[in-house]
């Protein structure tokens, strides 16, 4: 398990001091209605919203300043990203399972993936609606996983130099002796910077200088049609097959406390964040 990183893409701050308290409970949006007859009806939000509450005692000055800048939006309106050390897979939950909304071509369905070669295709299964597959036409066919959190990211996962990243191919591809995987790194404008590549189902390495975004890729290496369930993209550790997706939602600060510590210049910091949909946070 790695450390917590927080901040905008390309400029996340690594905080290696363990938080005194760390609550990552999702807001399920559940409402109960009890009738006069005693029957209970429950409604809930379609997509639970992630909330984070963190606090530190006597945090080092550099880290305290970084959190203060984020809370007061000194570096811009947001959003910010939190690399949660308790989250073992930053792929979206459905994306990690190779599923999505049946018939959808946006990021709730087919657009969670895209091909990165001239051959092959990503499509919805004709036998199991809502399940998606990659059809490899030959040894050159390959595909990539698109970040579904913020439209402004261009479909690339936000990262920062020095962060460890790791990707494990879906189970059907991992079973192939010909599979290879990679992580493409991009600059702030989305242009290509470099690739971390490996033969086999697993690749692990460190985000290079200048990288702001990353995109995991896989190449089956042989023709066939393969399910996309079981993929894992991990920050701060080593990816493992079949880990449920936690996602990496853009977040905004909703609460902040800053108490000077004894001795100075240490400070006790508390920060609350909530998942948001807009880039402005």
């Amino acid at each position: 398990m790695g450390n917590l990183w927080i901040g905008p893409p390309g400029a996340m701050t690594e905080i290696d001091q363990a938080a005194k308290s760390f609550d990552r409970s999702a807001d399920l949006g559940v409402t109960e209605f009890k009738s006069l007859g005693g029957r209970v009806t429950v409604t809930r939000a379609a997509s639970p919203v992630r909330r984070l509450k963190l606090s530190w005692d006597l945090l080092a000055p550099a880290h305290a300043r970084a959190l203060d800048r984020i809370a007061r939006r000194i570096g811009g309106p947001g959003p910010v990203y939190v690399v949660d050390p308790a989250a073992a897979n930053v792929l979206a939950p459905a994306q990690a399972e190779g599923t999505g909304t049946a018939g959808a071509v946006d990021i709730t369905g087919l657009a969670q993936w895209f091909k990165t070669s001239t051959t092959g295709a990503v499509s919805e299964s004709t036998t199991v609606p809502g399940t998606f597959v990659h059809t490899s036409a030959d040894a050159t066919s390959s595909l990539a996983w698109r970040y579904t959190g913020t439209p402004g990211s261009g479909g690339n996962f936000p990262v920062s130099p020095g962060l460890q990243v790791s990707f494990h191919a879906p189970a059907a591809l991992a079973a192939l002796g010909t599979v290879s995987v990679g992580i493409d790194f991009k600059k702030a404008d989305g242009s290509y910077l470099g690739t971390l590549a490996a033969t086999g189902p697993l690749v692990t390495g460190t985000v290079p200088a200048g990288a702001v975004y990353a995109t995991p890729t896989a190449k089956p290496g042989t023709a066939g049609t393969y399910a996309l369930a079981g993929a894992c993209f991990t920050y701060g550790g080593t990816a493992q097959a079949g880990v449920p997706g936690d996602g990496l939602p853009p977040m905004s600060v909703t609460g902040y406390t800053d108490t000077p510590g004894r001795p100075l210049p240490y400070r006790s910091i508390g920060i609350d964040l909530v998942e948001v949909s807009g880039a402005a946070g």
Side-chain angles (χ1 to χ4, degrees):
M1 181 179 296
N3 295 324
L4 182 142
W5 293 63
I6 183 171
M12 299 180 195
T13 297
E14 180 182 17
I15 299 181
D16 55 8
Q17 180 176 327
K20 177 185 69 173
S21 65
F22 187 173
D23 185 346
R24 62 191 302 269
S25 304
D27 183 353
L28 300 181
V30 174
T31 301
E32 292 188 16
F33 173 76
K34 189 174 183 179
S35 69
L36 293 177
R39 303 284 293 182
V40 174
T41 301
V42 174
T43 61
R44 60 177 294 169
S47 299
V49 174
R50 177 68 51 81
R51 293 184 182 274
L52 294 177
K53 295 184 178 183
L54 303 121
S55 65
W56 291 266
D57 277 342
L58 300 179
L59 191 61
H63 292 161
R65 287 194 295 268
L67 292 176
D68 181 71
R69 288 179 60 86
I70 291 170
R72 295 192 292 126
R73 297 188 173 190
I74 294 175
V80 297
Y81 296 87
V82 181
V83 177
D84 177 353
N89 190 353
V90 298
L91 297 179
Q95 190 178 39
E97 295 179 353
T99 63
T101 303
V105 296
D106 59 12
I107 57 174
T108 67
L110 185 61
Q112 295 177 94
W113 306 270
F114 61 96
K115 69 174 187 175
T116 56
S117 58
T118 57
T119 64
V122 181
S123 61
E124 185 172 356
S125 171
T126 57
T127 57
V128 185
T131 297
F132 296 84
V133 298
H134 170 64
T135 299
S136 176
D138 52 41
T140 66
S141 298
S142 60
L143 78 155
W145 280 252
R146 178 177 278 115
Y147 175 61
T148 62
T150 306
S153 68
N156 301 300
F157 288 80
V159 295
S160 283
L163 175 64
Q164 180 176 313
V165 290
S166 182
F167 178 66
H168 195 287
L173 272 64
L176 302 172
T178 54
V179 69
S180 59
V181 292
I183 301 174
D184 293 341
F185 297 108
K186 315 285 181 62
K187 300 177 185 178
D189 60 2
S191 61
Y192 177 78
L193 180 66
T195 296
L196 179 68
T199 300
L202 176 67
V203 61
T204 301
T206 302
V207 177
V212 177
Y213 299 107
T215 302
T217 65
K219 181 185 294 184
T222 187
T225 297
Y226 308 100
L228 298 177
C232 180
F233 191 26
T234 295
Y235 288 0
T238 301
Q240 299 180 33
V243 176
D246 271 289
L248 184 66
M251 308 197 86
S252 183
V253 176
T254 59
Y256 174 60
T257 60
D258 181 357
T259 306
R262 295 183 180 180
L264 287 171
Y266 294 94
R267 292 149 66 179
S268 294
I269 300 290
I271 191 167
D272 299 348
L273 303 105
V274 65
E275 177 182 350
V276 293
S277 57

